[in-house]
Amino acid sequence: MDLFLSTLAISFAPSVVGALLFGSIFGLVFGAIPGLTFTMALALILPLTFTLEPTAAIAMLLSTFIGGASGGTVAAILVGVPGTPSSAATVVDGHKLAKAGKASITIAMATIVSTLGGLFSLIVMVFSVDFLASVALHFGPAEIFALLIFGMSTICGLAERSIVRGLIGGVIGLMVMTIGQDPIDGVPRLTFGSVQLLQGVELLVAMIALFAVPQVVEAFCQHHGGRETLVDPKSVKVELPRPGYIFGFRWNILRSSALGTIIGAIPGTSGTIAAFLAYSQEKRLARDPKSFGQGDMGGVVAPETANNAVTGGSMIPVLGLGIPSDPATALILGGFLIHGIQPGPLLFIENPQVIYSVYMLFAASYVLVTIFMLFGVRVFVKALHVPHHLLAVAIMVLCVVGSYSIRNSMFDVGAMIVVGFFGYLLHKARIPLTPILLGLVLGPAMEREFRTAMIMSGDDPSIFYTSPTALLFFAFALIVVFKHALGGLRSRINLNKEA
Amino acid sequence: MTEVFRDRLLGVVLIAVSIAWLAAARFSVPEGYSGSFFGPRAFPEALGIMLLVLALILLARTFVKRPADIEEEEEEESQTSIREEVWSSAVTFGFLIAYFVALPILGFVISTTVMIAGFLWFVLRKRSVFLLAGMSLGFSFGLWLLMGRLLGVYLPTGMFSWGF
């Protein structure tokens, strides 16, 4: 009890609360602006923590991480451009809900379920950090590859009407990500001698281009044709979800939280993968799967819960083993080391106060971010009052600035314009954009894990079917594909009968 | 443009792209050093073949599509005319390319102010001085302050190194 009280006193000292507030706002702003990520926010804020005492430094890093993971939702719902890669799955239904005048309730709902997902992962982290860290260590390249194949199988659910078109989108996404330096051998691929192409197409640049550019063109098209719908400021109500409404999504929240926490604990995975898997899972389990993609709140709840549950999950290998699971947690781990804290099994024995402090600061960060977001809803929805064609001008500037600021490279701005142009053409050809994004997200990891597994096994494919975990994920993927194929066949037979 | 024609065009374009991709992967990607059968060429080639097969399926489906399917799909055609599409895509990509060219020369603040004001005046035909000045100056200085000064994100300073 003494240990708990002394940790409480240290964790909520004025300097620590100040660091929490600053970090939360910093992360939220970075998350909300398309092109800026919480990884970038963490990289920029890390030097600021050098002069702080360790608890305040941890508070600033954790709150930036959590603020950034939550902030991406705002841009995804209001503007239809994901603020961070992990909020990409939210765009699908979130933006449609905002267009239908439900922006405030959607943002509020996303905020609340994000917090619930985050707190769920925190509880799991507290009780099972040792166990989950050891389980996650058993995920080798073959198991991660199988998990990614399961992730790719969600294309069937995201393909809107035609699975063939969805698959074409997925393959195009995968193809784009093979351009650049080979991840294993380091040789240039399809760069045609261009040094700048060696770095490949940055995921966030492609994401901005694919989601924002077709929207901007659409906004100008509607303006030019005199069909622009002006939002009546009186019609945009600021309403928050009632507890009963949130309770209605309890199973969705629970399933997505569990999924996000598990995915987060596996090194080499990310919130984006968790968000898409959760979206696909809930779409499969929904009473009316067709409503997903048309503005279903369940389609916002699932990815938002899962991508925030990843934050707690991803801290499990950091605290339990001292292994970062993604670039963001690598920066947090760096911050820990700079302040003389060595995460790993020994930390639990030698310095349990740090661990308790992390748990408390984690929970406090979530509460703070939720308060900021819920108060901010009134301000955020003001963006809807701006005519779409003026908003489109602002989005174009943000696209360019966001693409530039990722690597301070004009090449990325050029790549954004080129990818945006082809994305627009594909959109016009009715190739769904979300599978392209899935290909972009999963492509590099899929190739890396597959080839690493094959090198490890000496080109023996049995590495994939002798692992029960890998087999389980392959089986899941097959079930998803068959279920969608069967569903498509059934609806075709019904159509034929009606005809 | 009918749905069938669009799919056929898309199918043919994708077949051409996949063949070009396969040729590029075969002749421009060097063999790796890992000694594995699955070297640097394996994924690009496999993806090229997959795209080729999918494009062939898409093309083949246009020949077996029932009239009912086509009608259903064409009902969902948007109301936009080709002229509107061309205009809106031309102004969007025109703006993006001009901004891309201006940024490294004039720097962030000047190019953003000029581009937004110019776009509002010439393309969107806005004549309100308040809107023109407010949006162009407010947006460029606001972003410069927020990103360049507060968040510490680098923004292009231009060839004259004005610092903004």
Side-chain angles (χ1 to χ4, degrees):
Chain A
M1 193 63 191
D2 285 348
L3 184 68
F4 176 77
L5 288 174
S6 64
T7 311
L8 200 67
I10 293 169
S11 302
F12 295 101
S15 62
V16 179
V17 174
L20 275 175
L21 284 168
F22 183 78
S24 305
I25 296 171
F26 195 77
L28 273 173
V29 173
F30 263 77
I33 300 174
L36 305 186
T37 62
F38 55 82
T39 311
M40 196 191 288
L42 280 166
L44 289 170
I45 214 165
L46 190 58
L48 298 183
T49 67
F50 292 169
T51 52
L52 299 175
E53 47 105 8
T55 317
I58 296 172
M60 198 180 265
L61 289 169
L62 286 178
S63 54
T64 306
F65 180 42
I66 290 164
S70 307
T73 314
V74 181
I77 293 170
L78 288 182
V79 195
V81 182
T84 54
S86 59
S87 56
T90 311
V91 173
V92 185
D93 283 273
H95 189 51
K96 286 209 169 106
L97 281 164
K99 275 182 173 171
K102 294 176 181 171
S104 64
I105 198 168
T106 310
I107 294 175
M109 190 71 181
T111 306
I112 292 165
V113 297
S114 294
T115 308
L116 293 175
L119 293 177
F120 177 94
S121 71
L122 172 67
I123 295 166
V124 175
M125 181 166 82
V126 170
F127 289 105
S128 62
V129 66
D130 288 344
F131 171 72
L132 269 180
S134 62
V135 169
L137 263 193
H138 287 101
F139 267 73
E143 288 78 12
I144 297 179
F145 174 72
L147 172 70
L148 295 171
I149 288 288
F150 175 43
M152 281 304 278
S153 70
T154 60
I155 281 181
C156 299
L158 296 166
E160 293 168 16
R161 289 167 14 143
S162 158
I163 289 184
V164 175
R165 280 192 166 93
L167 288 173
I168 288 173
V171 170
I172 290 173
L174 289 168
M175 285 166 100
V176 171
M177 291 317 263
T178 60
I179 298 170
Q181 204 165 22
D182 175 71
I184 306 283
D185 292 87
V187 297
R189 288 195 303 193
L190 303 153
T191 57
F192 304 105
S194 161
V195 177
Q196 286 173 313
L197 258 181
L198 273 176
Q199 59 189 346
V201 179
E202 170 66 32
L203 172 65
L204 210 57
V205 169
M207 208 175 266
I208 291 171
L210 285 175
F211 280 100
V213 174
Q215 265 214 55
V216 169
V217 178
E218 183 69 22
F220 289 137
C221 204
Q222 285 183 351
H223 175 66
H224 191 61
R227 294 184 308 278
E228 187 174 6
T229 45
L230 291 169
V231 178
D232 177 10
K234 286 174 192 163
S235 73
V236 183
K237 288 178 194 162
V238 177
E239 55 176 329
L240 300 178
R242 290 167 190 276
Y245 185 68
I246 302 167
F247 190 70
F249 291 96
R250 61 195 178 280
W251 298 118
N252 183 336
I253 294 169
L254 264 175
R255 282 190 296 263
S256 306
S257 300
L259 186 84
T261 309
I262 294 166
I263 299 278
I266 302 167
T269 54
S270 67
T272 319
I273 297 172
F276 275 110
L277 280 175
Y279 183 87
S280 167
Q281 170 185 269
E282 290 311 315
K283 186 178 179 179
R284 265 200 319 277
L285 297 171
R287 277 185 201 152
D288 179 18
K290 282 181 184 167
S291 67
F292 272 62
Q294 307 302 320
D296 191 309
M297 190 61 86
V300 174
V301 170
E304 280 305 312
T305 314
N307 69 22
N308 273 262
V310 163
T311 54
S314 64
M315 287 301 289
I316 291 170
V318 174
L319 290 177
L321 302 162
I323 300 170
S325 51
D326 53 31
T329 47
L331 284 161
I332 294 177
L333 180 66
F336 277 46
L337 295 173
I338 286 165
H339 289 278
I341 302 161
Q342 173 69 57
L346 277 180
L347 188 66
F348 288 81
I349 302 158
E350 289 172 354
N351 206 349
Q353 200 169 39
V354 172
I355 299 289
Y356 295 140
S357 191
V358 167
Y359 295 157
M360 284 178 193
L361 294 171
F362 212 86
S365 299
Y366 262 111
V367 173
L368 265 182
V369 167
T370 309
I371 293 169
F372 282 140
M373 291 276 283
L374 291 181
F375 273 107
V377 165
R378 285 173 193 282
V379 182
F380 299 146
V381 293
K382 293 261 190 283
L384 292 175
H385 302 170
V386 182
H388 287 184
H389 63 282
L390 292 183
L391 203 60
V393 178
I395 293 172
M396 284 198 293
V397 174
L398 280 177
C399 285
V400 171
V401 176
S403 308
Y404 176 82
S405 57
I406 297 166
R407 295 189 285 206
N408 300 328
S409 157
M410 283 309 290
F411 173 76
D412 282 342
V413 180
M416 185 274 293
I417 298 171
V418 173
V419 175
F421 179 70
F422 285 108
Y424 171 69
L425 289 183
L426 288 169
H427 175 66
K428 284 284 123 193
R430 294 196 178 182
I431 299 290
L433 297 180
T434 326
I436 302 181
L437 178 71
L438 206 63
L440 293 170
V441 172
L442 302 184
M446 231 169 93
E447 180 178 9
R448 190 182 58 237
E449 301 301 337
F450 175 80
R451 285 175 57 195
T452 310
M454 292 312 277
I455 291 169
M456 278 168 63
S457 68
D459 284 344
D460 181 3
S462 68
I463 190 167
F464 295 108
Y465 57 80
T466 48
S467 156
T469 317
L471 275 178
L472 188 74
F473 285 125
F474 284 134
F476 283 156
L478 270 178
I479 292 168
V480 171
V481 173
F482 272 116
K483 194 169 177 285
H484 282 285
L486 215 66
L489 205 69
R490 262 191 212 139
S491 57
R492 190 155 280 276
I493 290 168
N494 286 344
L495 264 176
N496 282 347
K497 272 182 190 167
E498 280 170 23
Chain B
M1 199 188 289
T2 65
E3 185 69 25
V4 171
F5 178 75
R6 193 199 316 237
D7 278 5
R8 280 183 191 160
L9 186 66
L10 178 67
V12 171
V13 170
L14 288 177
I15 288 169
V17 168
S18 57
I19 291 169
W21 177 273
L22 281 168
R26 168 61 49 184
F27 300 113
S28 78
V29 179
E31 277 186 51
Y33 313 109
S34 60
S36 169
F37 175 74
F38 297 94
R41 276 184 203 158
F43 256 69
E45 284 185 350
L47 292 170
I49 292 167
M50 279 164 79
L51 187 67
L52 183 64
V53 171
L54 288 166
L56 285 170
I57 294 173
L58 187 75
L59 200 63
R61 274 169 41 146
T62 61
F63 293 99
V64 291
K65 227 170 204 178
R66 296 178 314 109
D69 289 349
I70 297 163
E71 273 171 30
E72 189 201 340
E73 281 173 1
E74 283 178 355
E75 266 175 27
E76 288 177 21
E77 282 281 318
S78 61
Q79 310 156 340
T80 51
S81 68
I82 297 275
R83 216 171 129 237
E84 284 170 11
E85 292 273 358
V86 171
W87 181 86
S88 50
S89 47
V91 297
T92 305
F93 291 103
F95 177 93
L96 290 172
I97 292 166
Y99 194 28
F100 170 69
V101 173
L103 260 178
I105 300 170
L106 299 173
F108 176 73
V109 174
I110 294 176
S111 58
T112 307
T113 310
V114 171
M115 287 303 301
I116 293 180
F119 194 82
L120 291 176
W121 178 273
F122 293 109
V123 180
L124 298 179
R125 312 250 171 213
K126 300 286 177 192
R127 294 294 180 262
S128 156
V129 179
F130 178 73
L131 178 74
L132 287 168
M135 189 163 171
S136 58
L137 288 171
F139 208 71
S140 55
F141 274 102
L143 266 182
W144 177 71
L145 275 175
L146 176 73
M147 294 174 79
R149 289 288 163 263
L150 283 173
L151 302 179
V153 176
Y154 288 103
L155 293 170
T157 51
M159 61 192 287
F160 306 110
S161 297
W162 285 320
F164 52 85

